């Protein structure tokens, strides 16, 4: 899919010190770059609506009613749907029945349901007018200055930018902070290597291994364990609290940088840095992102629930459903414009050094000329060297 992400409804606030905007995403299928037909190709995967309904109602008065509906609709732990249905949504019979009792529950399920042509809420950024280090830093999202899903104030902070741009003059020693509504949290990236993109120098930043480390390794992550103390392990984030209670766990593709147990539970997992790591290639002078890849895997936490025979004897594990590679690369026209700007900037920044060098050269020439003039004036004629009183 080709993804379009324009900035719309841009408004300047507080005398130009803040900017509000919406960032809708539109996805357009590109058949010439794809294999197969999403309208036809079938996928057998976890029945997320059924698993979610079972988790919702277990040990509640609605447990029996859910079991009856599961039997009535012949729902099982797995289901078969087209790629298009799984991505953009299909009307689920079980969710439709629950919707009658709880209207806030959407009867349509899809990983990108209602996400094509829509935005994830209004952002308010700092313009950087007062401090260039705050350029494009988020101060509000959906009218709030912090989140409410997690158990600590630190974990609920909205830190950094949305990942599309950063402040200029980036150094290798700093941490780059990003807020992602997909992950329902903020995280930071660290310097990895230097390189070039389209002939333009870049710094590559990647997520720190500490970001998704277990709370025993990184105590600051304890706030992401919901309920408190329920930590899934390194490399996996339980986001069910911000996904309407659906047992969704996020990770890097193929459980890259995750605990070995997640990799061993699923046959075919082969994590590799070059394929499965998220990265940003940023021009350090301008803070512009020239190349990036946001790689994320969607998993479902499944386990045996004695209350529902549909779960059978399945082992408790984190089951991968799909992973995304959201990639960008600067186009040739934009790269040419940026090169021109960087050339002008190098000339402007080089002028003081040129003036300083010319000053040093002129100073040396002046000193040489003065010394030579003194040497010439100190030479005397024969008459000047003769005695003043002659006999």
């Amino acid at each position: 899919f080709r993804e379009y992400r324009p900035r719309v409804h841009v408004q300047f606030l507080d005398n130009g010190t803040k900017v509000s905007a919406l960032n809708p995403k539109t996805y357009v299928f590109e058949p010439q770059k794809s294999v197969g037909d999403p309208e036809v190709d079938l996928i057998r995967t976890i029945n997320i609506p059924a698993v979610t309904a079972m988790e919702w109602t277990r040990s509640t008065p609605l447990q029996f009613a859910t079991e009856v509906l599961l039997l009535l609709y012949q729902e099982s732990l797995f289901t078969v749907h087209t790629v298009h249905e799984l991505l953009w949504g299909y009307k689920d019979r079980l969710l439709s029945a629950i919707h009658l009792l709880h209207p806030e529950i959407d009867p349509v399920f899809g990983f990108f349901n209602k996400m094509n042509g829509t935005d994830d809420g209004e952002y308010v950024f700092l313009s950087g007018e007062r401090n260039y280090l705050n350029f494009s830093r988020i101060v509000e999202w959906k009218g709030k200055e912090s989140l409410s899903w997690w158990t600590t104030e630190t974990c609920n902070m909205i830190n950094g930018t949305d990942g599309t741009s950063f402040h200029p003059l980036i150094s290798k020693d700093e941490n780059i902070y990003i807020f992602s509504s997909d992950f329902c949290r903020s995280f930071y990236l660290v310097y990895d290597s230097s390189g070039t993109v389209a002939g333009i120098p870049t710094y590559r930043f990647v997520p720190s291994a500490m970001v998704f480390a277990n709370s025993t390794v990184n105590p600051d992550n304890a706030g992401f364990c919901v309920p408190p103390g329920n930590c899934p392990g390194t490399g996996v984030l339980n986001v069910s609290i911000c996904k309407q209670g659906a047992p969704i766990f996020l990770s890097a593709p193929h459980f890259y940088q995750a605990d070995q147990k997640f990799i061993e539970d699923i046959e075919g997992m082969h994590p590799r840095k070059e394929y499965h790591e998220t990265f940003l290639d940023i021009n350090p002078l301008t803070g512009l992102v020239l190349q990036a890849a946001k790689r994320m895997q969607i998993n479902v936490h499944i386990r045996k629930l004695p209350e529902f025979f549909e779960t059978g004897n399945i082992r408790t594990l984190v089951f991968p459903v799909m992973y995304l590679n959201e990639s960008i690369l600067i186009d040739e026209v934009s790269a040419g414009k940026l090169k021109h700007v960087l050339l002008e900037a190098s000339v402007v920044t080089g002028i003081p050094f040129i003036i300083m060098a010319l000053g040093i050269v002129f100073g040396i020439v002046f000193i040489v000329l003065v010394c030579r003039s003194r040497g010439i004036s100190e030479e005397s004629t024969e008459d000047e060297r003769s005695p003043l009183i002659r006999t």
Side-chain angles (χ1 to χ4, degrees):
F1 289 84
R2 174 76 64 180
E3 181 179 345
Y4 298 91
R5 297 181 57 172
R7 298 273 192 202
V8 299
H9 300 298
V10 179
Q11 294 181 332
F12 286 88
L13 311 171
D14 295 347
N15 297 322
T17 60
K18 296 179 180 179
V19 182
S20 66
L22 297 175
N23 188 20
K25 297 180 182 180
T26 301
Y27 302 90
V28 179
F29 180 61
E30 293 197 348
Q32 68 276 10
K33 294 186 178 181
S34 303
V35 177
D37 186 347
E39 300 275 3
V40 176
D41 296 338
L42 298 174
I43 298 291
R44 184 185 299 276
T45 187
I46 290 291
N47 189 343
I48 297 180
V51 172
T52 302
M54 287 187 278
E55 291 285 356
W56 278 341
T57 59
R58 64 185 298 263
S59 302
T60 70
L62 294 176
Q63 176 184 316
F64 179 74
T66 302
E67 180 62 42
V68 171
L69 289 174
L70 290 170
L71 292 172
L72 179 64
Y73 297 137
Q74 297 182 339
E75 299 282 356
S76 65
L77 197 60
F78 289 83
T79 186
V80 177
H81 286 280
T82 66
V83 173
H84 182 85
E85 289 174 332
L86 291 172
L87 287 178
W88 308 113
Y90 62 91
K91 191 170 184 179
D92 184 79
R93 292 180 298 177
L94 182 60
L95 292 180
S96 298
I98 297 175
H99 175 74
L100 298 176
L101 299 176
H102 298 276
E104 71 277 9
I105 301 300
D106 196 331
V108 176
F109 171 79
F111 293 110
F112 286 81
N113 179 34
K114 297 181 179 178
M115 292 177 61
N116 197 352
T118 61
D119 60 81
D120 60 345
E122 184 183 55
Y123 288 85
V124 177
F125 310 88
L126 293 178
S127 66
E129 182 176 331
R130 293 178 179 173
N131 186 345
Y132 79 93
L133 293 174
N134 288 329
F135 172 71
S136 70
R137 184 169 69 84
I138 301 170
V139 291
E140 286 185 21
W141 176 58
K142 289 186 173 181
K144 297 181 180 180
E145 296 180 356
S146 63
L147 308 174
S148 58
W149 296 310
W150 312 112
T151 59
T152 64
E153 183 178 347
T154 302
C155 292
N156 278 320
M157 293 176 65
I158 299 177
N159 288 328
T161 75
D162 63 353
T164 59
S165 61
F166 300 90
H167 68 78
L169 303 177
I170 289 178
S171 70
K172 299 178 182 179
D173 300 326
E174 66 178 298
N175 294 332
I176 300 296
Y177 284 85
I178 292 176
F179 169 72
S180 172
S181 61
D182 293 331
F183 281 89
C184 306
R185 59 164 290 185
S186 303
F187 57 93
Y188 67 93
L189 298 89
V190 295
Y191 171 81
D192 179 71
S193 59
S194 298
T196 59
V197 174
I200 302 171
T202 58
Y203 289 166
R204 173 162 290 191
F205 283 81
V206 301
S208 168
M210 297 294 288
V211 170
F212 298 107
N214 199 344
S215 58
T216 56
V217 178
N218 183 4
D220 291 338
N221 284 343
F224 294 114
C225 302
V226 180
N230 185 24
C231 303
T234 293
V236 174
L237 177 66
N238 180 1
V239 294
S240 58
I241 193 171
C242 59
K243 303 296 181 183
Q244 292 188 317
I248 302 296
F249 284 43
L250 299 181
S251 69
H254 284 245
F255 297 111
Y256 173 71
Q257 288 187 327
D259 285 339
Q260 191 65 26
K261 67 177 181 179
F262 298 116
I263 300 172
E264 294 175 351
D265 279 343
I266 305 297
E267 183 178 350
M269 296 290 100
H270 304 290
R272 295 179 63 178
K273 176 182 174 70
E274 61 268 31
Y275 295 149
H276 305 133
E277 182 178 55
T278 292
F279 69 84
L280 294 175
D281 288 339
I282 306 171
N283 175 250
L285 181 62
T286 61
L288 295 177
V289 178
L290 306 188
Q291 183 176 239
K294 175 184 173 184
R295 293 157 173 167
M296 175 180 70
Q297 181 169 290
I298 300 175
N299 311 281
V300 179
H301 181 254
I302 54 176
R303 56 179 175 166
K304 176 178 173 58
L305 299 176
E307 301 89 345
F308 298 97
F309 82 91
E310 287 82 2
T311 58
N313 292 318
I314 194 164
R315 291 184 295 121
T316 298
L317 51 80
V318 177
F319 189 93
V321 177
M322 65 177 293
Y323 83 76
L324 316 172
N325 184 357
E326 192 176 28
S327 304
I328 65 163
L329 175 64
I330 190 170
D331 60 272
E332 293 182 3
V333 175
S334 299
K337 292 179 180 179
L338 182 56
K339 286 180 182 178
H340 182 70
V341 170
L342 293 175
L343 178 60
E344 291 181 345
S346 62
V347 172
V348 171
T349 55
I351 288 177
F353 298 100
I354 295 173
I355 295 175
M356 185 183 301
L358 290 175
I360 294 173
V361 171
F362 287 142
I364 293 173
V365 171
F366 176 76
I367 293 172
V368 170
L369 292 176
V370 169
C371 291
R372 288 185 63 186
S373 63
R374 286 183 178 179
I376 294 173
S377 63
E378 288 174 357
E379 293 181 1
S380 57
T381 64
E382 186 176 350
D383 291 338
E384 289 174 338
R385 293 193 298 272
S386 63
L388 295 177
I389 301 176
R390 300 179 180 180
T391 57

